[in-house]
Amino acid sequence: MCHHAHRAFICLTGFLTYYAVCGEPRDVETSRHSNTRWTAASFPNPQVEVEKCGRREKSSICDPSGIISEISANVVQGAINAIHKDTGFQVAVALLGRTRRGDNRGAEEMSRGLHDSWGVGEKDKNNGVLFLLAKYDRQLYISTGKGALKQLPNDALDKIIARAKPQLREEKYDKAVEQVVDDIGAALGGEVLPEVKTESEGNNGWGVSAVGAAILLYFAGIAKSGWDRHTFVRQYRQATAHLESLHTARRRAGGPGSYVSTSCPICLQDFPPSPPPRCEPSLSPDRAPDMMEAALLTSEQDARRTPGEMVPVTISCGHMYCENCILNWMRQCSSSPTCPICRARISEAPQRGGQPHGHSRERQPSRSQMDFQPELAYRLGRLNFFYPRIVTPMLVERWSHHSFQHPFVDDFAYQNIRSEYTSYTTSSHSHGGSLSASHSFGGGSSMGGGGSGGSW
Ligand SMILES: [Zn+2]
Ligand SMILES: [Zn+2]
């Protein structure tokens, strides 16, 4: 008993430190492009060559080699859309392995070239910003149009680049790219950039103890800087959307029909609209199959699927996850993996598709008989993990209770969060536009603008 509890704990902590597994870089694509030496002319345009850019729809991000995860790319796109809505500026992101020159001039030339050929910013205002990162060259460059010079002078760019370097040195590309775009957004919104510590101070600063970190967070909470506000606004928008769909899922689960998961409980990313029917290899029921082997085999057979595509799978207890997340979870706990939600032992390889099927059908509860509550509580926990300042532990506890059935975002306990959000956003100028849909570039150029780069 104790042994099991201990193992589950290791499982959980191991997984939490490795949470970003679901959108893990697309290996096939990475190997295909790792040696490509890009130029502005050969690099795809995310408004035109959507798939080549590793995206599912027109966007402002092109990442053919999968430098950042899909989750992170979605977060960055959300931030870019919010920047456009709040300030009118257009931001584009180009992520690649190498430029043809491979040095800082190469990064500068390519980002100016893309800025102009994509037409980032409105034509008459030149209010565009292009951020380029060349992973294997270890170069980054931010190019600004003339209309962005006031908000983003070169010394501000230098600060943004300096802030990203520690993350890049630790190869945290997701976090680095998210931070650069957040920082660009904050500066464009007229917020004052914090002073950057020197390299040695910065390194010591990151080595703070847990107590030190807690104290820092405490003070950050009191003296909310512009940077905190920007993160808060982004987290609020995303968490609120998740909470609304979670409420909808709960209402469906309570109704007469069976509930169908439409997103992965671990990474919270949506499943693709309708997974095509698949032919599964049959596993002999009297032979204990090697679960990982079977699962990995299926995964190899399907290696040709679209990069970054979500594949929903159902595990033996009936809970659904995306394949990447659950396989990574199982790798963490390979000796005796259990369902992250209900803790039932995972007794066979995850089955692709939305419904339990195969020889084990009779043993599985139907989705309508399954209690949604444990999944609800688990998902709230994940929301706390991704959006700690919005979905607080207090809210997780309150909302996980069976008796709480109201829409989460209407709960009075959420109103403090909502009014904080409103206080940050009502003063900002609105330029219309939707948060979810990506805007098109407006034909702006980098002519007469600024720019700054650096290596790490
Ligand atoms: Zn997932
Ligand atoms: Zn389960």
Side-chain angles (χ1 to χ4, degrees), residues 315-321 338-344 346 370:
I315 60 173
S316 42
C317 58
H319 281 122
M320 277 177 74
Y321 298 91
T338 54
C339 172
I341 292 173
C342 67
R343 297 290 164 88
I346 303 176
M370 277 173 62

Side-chain angles (χ1 to χ4, degrees), residues 5-290:
H6 185 60
R7 182 181 286 155
F9 178 73
I10 290 172
C11 228
L12 188 66
T13 49
F15 186 72
L16 288 180
T17 56
Y18 200 71
Y19 76 97
V21 287
C22 198
E24 196 92 318
R26 294 138 276 195
D27 295 335
V28 183
E29 288 290 292
T30 308
S31 54
R32 188 189 301 164
H33 285 306
S34 58
N35 290 317
T36 307
R37 292 190 170 272
W38 296 100
T39 62
S42 65
F43 199 69
N45 180 333
Q47 293 281 318
V48 184
E49 295 152 294
V50 172
E51 282 189 18
K52 280 189 186 167
C53 283
R55 305 291 296 147
R56 295 177 197 231
E57 54 191 5
K58 276 191 185 183
S59 79
S60 313
I61 304 164
C62 191
D63 183 12
S65 320
I67 306 286
I68 61 173
S69 69
E70 189 180 13
I71 304 173
S72 184
N74 291 341
V75 168
V76 170
Q77 185 65 51
I80 289 173
N81 294 345
I83 291 168
H84 185 240
K85 185 172 184 286
D86 293 345
T87 68
F89 286 93
Q90 292 189 353
V91 178
V93 176
L95 307 171
L96 49 134
R98 301 173 199 280
T99 65
R100 191 169 58 189
R101 286 182 57 119
D103 57 3
N104 55 351
R105 274 283 303 283
E108 175 174 357
E109 278 173 15
M110 189 163 162
S111 49
R112 295 200 166 278
L114 291 176
H115 193 140
D116 297 340
S117 63
W118 291 357
V120 185
E122 287 159 82
K123 202 170 184 175
D124 51 336
K125 294 184 182 162
N126 288 324
N127 55 351
V129 179
L130 188 130
F131 161 43
L132 177 139
L133 180 145
K135 177 177 169 180
Y136 302 113
D137 295 341
R138 304 178 80 88
Q139 296 288 343
L140 68 168
Y141 194 88
I142 302 170
S143 143
T144 51
K146 203 173 181 179
L149 271 179
K150 195 174 134 234
Q151 291 81 358
L152 269 178
N154 287 3
D155 62 327
L157 297 180
D158 291 339
K159 282 184 190 171
I160 293 173
I161 289 165
R163 272 167 56 80
K165 285 182 183 179
Q167 316 259 28
L168 290 167
R169 291 193 189 112
E170 291 178 30
E171 303 189 4
K172 292 177 180 166
Y173 301 103
D174 283 12
K175 284 275 164 273
V177 173
E178 287 173 25
Q179 184 178 291
V180 167
V181 173
D182 264 359
D183 286 2
I184 288 172
L188 291 174
E191 290 165 14
V192 181
L193 305 161
E195 286 306 318
V196 182
K197 293 174 187 161
T198 66
E199 304 272 298
S200 59
E201 276 170 346
N203 288 340
N204 292 338
W206 292 114
V208 289
S209 65
V211 175
I215 292 169
L216 283 177
L217 283 173
Y218 178 74
F219 281 109
I222 292 175
K224 288 230 169 68
S225 71
W227 307 86
D228 288 315
R229 282 204 296 273
H230 199 77
T231 311
F232 183 93
V233 165
R234 193 188 72 192
Q235 287 202 358
Y236 175 86
R237 286 173 174 153
Q238 294 175 351
T240 300
H242 279 296
L243 287 168
E244 280 168 349
S245 63
L246 188 55
H247 176 64
T248 310
R250 176 177 54 189
R251 283 181 46 182
R252 284 209 202 101
S258 61
Y259 86 88
V260 176
S261 299
T262 57
S263 64
C264 170
I266 294 176
C267 62
L268 307 178
Q269 293 292 294
D270 285 343
F271 292 136
S274 53
R278 296 196 51 82
C279 179
E280 298 289 343
S282 63
L283 296 170
S284 166
D286 49 11
R287 184 177 62 91
D290 181 336

Side-chain angles (χ1 to χ4, degrees), residues 375-390:
E375 179 163 343
L376 181 91
Y378 183 80
R379 284 176 180 269
L380 287 170
R382 294 300 291 165
L383 286 171
N384 168 251
F385 180 78
F386 285 118
Y387 311 108
R389 291 178 55 190
I390 312 296

